[in-house]
Amino acid sequence: MLALSVASASLPVVGKHLEPFGAMAAMGVWGFRHLPEFVTASAKSWVAPGNGDLRKAEREQTTAAAQAGLRGVVPATDLAIDWPAPDSMPPLWHTMEYRRDVYRTSVRYGDDPAQLLDVWRPENLPAQPAPVLLFVPGGAWVHGGRMLQGYALLSHLARQGWVCLSIDYRVAPHHRWPQHLSDVKAAIAWARANVDKFGGDRHFVAVAGCSAGGHLAALAGLTPNQPDLQGDLPDGSDTSVDAVIGIYGRYDWEDRSTEERARFVDFLERVVVGRTIDRHPEIYRQASPIAQVHPDAPPFLVVHGTGDSVIPVAQARSFVDRLKAVSRSAVGYIELPGAGHAFDMTDGARTGAMSTAIGLFLNHIHRNRAIDHTKAVI
């Protein structure tokens, strides 16, 4: 089905309209590999005796976990605030409220029809340019749509005076790797060159992402201006970023040490990359953020839940350990007890605190960058 859908999408005139069937087939392959484990883990969580009390206790630890993850990275005075109370409703319930902070929709950042972004910002900005966050949605590299993803975070930052850009990007199976990353870099380059038209500061652009978007955000942050990953961007395009936020991301494309990781690499081979890791190990190494960590990496904040059955928390821990051992920049890590995949769309008890924590981290990095710039000018 996957091969037929890809072939049919290349037909003239009608091919473009058949691309969604390829994405559906690809998502089916992903679901076949991950859904049974996800359902089993969820059922155990809800049915096992005493788990209701455990889930409640884990949610109550959210603010403490956020503060612990930022301690030593963000000043203690920044953490001494009134943190948001848990919300009994899932964040998706507040979609229309969040959408009020969208300033402009479907702005083109490239020539392809899929290269679109939404601009989130307050109606009135201060006179000085606002810091910028570019958000990369998830979707297992076969879905790259900006709808519904990251809304709580984008709304929170927009109300704090940030300009946020939420992007669409091209996905497998019709667009093989590294087209996903090339599109993210094209959006960063667009922001560096054009975000001032929306009140943003071209000299401070951070990137964040969830799940597959977390992988893309981390890899973009670690490979600035790398020629073989710039796609069709003109020479001199700036794809560097000033900070990275990875939220339940996948950071290793090489490791096949567990059954879950072996299934994941098989999915990459069949659907996303179209080449095997045994014959093309260099592709998978170059696509692994954990293998691209270097001393000049930008500041990182990684957020992951211990209850994630799609991307186990061990992957985040390994990535953070590697960052802390090598990078000269700040590295924060927030591990949320019991939180599952996509908690920021489904779990109101955690989402407010996470948006607040990410805002504190980004505001701190932005302040430090402004201070460094002032010193350099003087």
Side-chain angles (χ1 to χ4, degrees):
M1 286 180 63
L2 187 64
L4 285 171
S5 64
V6 172
S8 64
S10 64
L11 295 171
V13 184
V14 299
K16 197 68 178 176
H17 301 288
L18 298 177
E19 280 195 12
F21 293 101
M24 291 170 61
M27 190 61 79
V29 174
W30 180 89
F32 178 78
R33 283 159 171 74
H34 291 280
L35 193 59
E37 187 174 347
F38 178 77
V39 171
T40 300
S42 299
K44 287 181 179 178
S45 172
W46 284 99
V47 174
N51 269 13
D53 293 336
L54 175 62
R55 288 195 304 272
K56 182 176 183 294
E58 287 174 336
R59 285 190 170 93
E60 290 174 348
Q61 297 175 46
T62 298
T63 296
Q67 292 172 325
L70 294 178
R71 195 166 291 123
V73 178
V74 171
T77 52
D78 288 2
L79 300 177
I81 60 172
D82 291 328
W83 288 73
D87 188 347
S88 60
M89 302 301 297
L92 289 174
W93 182 263
H94 303 297
T95 294
M96 296 308 296
E97 177 187 346
Y98 294 144
R99 291 285 303 176
R100 293 173 188 166
D101 297 307
V102 177
Y103 179 79
R104 187 74 56 82
T105 188
S106 298
V107 176
R108 290 195 177 277
Y109 69 86
D111 296 330
D112 191 273
Q115 293 176 310
L116 300 172
L117 59 82
D118 286 347
V119 180
W120 296 62
R121 50 155 281 186
E123 193 67 32
N124 299 306
L125 284 172
Q128 65 271 26
V132 177
L133 177 74
L134 188 145
F135 180 82
V136 186
W141 300 272
V142 298
H143 173 76
R146 63 197 186 276
M147 294 303 294
L148 298 179
Q149 295 200 48
Y151 279 16
L153 174 62
L154 296 169
S155 176
H156 174 76
L157 289 176
R159 293 177 187 185
Q160 288 197 336
W162 283 65
V163 170
C164 300
L165 311 173
S166 179
I167 71 168
D168 284 353
Y169 54 93
R170 286 171 284 186
V171 294
H174 304 292
H175 304 282
R176 298 288 192 179
W177 180 265
Q179 186 63 68
H180 316 65
L181 181 63
S182 298
D183 279 5
V184 173
K185 285 177 171 281
I188 294 169
W190 181 92
R192 290 290 192 192
N194 298 282
V195 76
D196 56 326
K197 298 173 184 176
F198 296 97
D201 184 356
R202 295 185 298 161
H203 302 294
F204 189 92
V205 177
V207 63
C210 294
S211 195
H215 161 262
L216 292 168
L219 194 58
L222 292 166
T223 59
N225 305 322
Q226 192 165 310
D228 54 342
L229 295 176
Q230 294 286 92
D232 298 326
L233 288 173
D235 291 343
S237 297
D238 186 0
T239 59
S240 65
V241 298
D242 297 287
V244 179
I245 311 294
I247 308 169
Y248 49 87
R250 173 80 69 169
Y251 305 110
D252 193 333
W253 276 27
E254 297 182 283
D255 187 0
R256 291 179 283 178
S257 62
T258 67
E259 182 180 348
E260 180 272 331
R261 294 192 181 199
R263 287 200 309 267
F264 169 69
V265 172
D266 179 66
F267 169 75
L268 292 176
E269 291 176 326
R270 293 174 182 272
V271 178
V272 180
V273 180
R275 296 181 180 182
T276 65
I277 190 172
D278 291 332
R279 291 189 177 184
H280 301 277
E282 72 285 353
I283 294 177
Y284 292 80
R285 171 155 285 265
Q286 188 184 53
S288 295
I290 197 169
Q292 301 301 321
V293 172
H294 54 84
D296 295 322
F300 262 81
L301 176 63
V302 175
V303 182
H304 217 100
T306 63
D308 195 327
S309 61
V310 177
I311 304 176
V313 70
Q315 182 136 154
R317 292 171 181 168
S318 298
F319 180 56
V320 170
D321 288 345
R322 176 69 176 158
L323 276 170
K324 289 183 176 180
V326 175
S327 175
R328 288 190 288 258
S329 296
V331 179
Y333 176 51
I334 299 175
E335 185 170 292
L336 298 174
H341 208 69
F343 71 84
D344 58 316
M345 292 193 289
T346 61
D347 192 346
R350 294 182 170 102
T351 302
M354 280 307 92
S355 297
T356 298
I358 292 169
L360 291 174
F361 177 84
L362 286 172
N363 282 320
H364 173 64
I365 299 301
H366 178 244
R367 280 197 311 267
N368 282 353
R369 188 59 54 87
I371 291 171
D372 292 342
H373 177 71
T374 302
K375 289 180 179 178
V377 171
I378 295 174

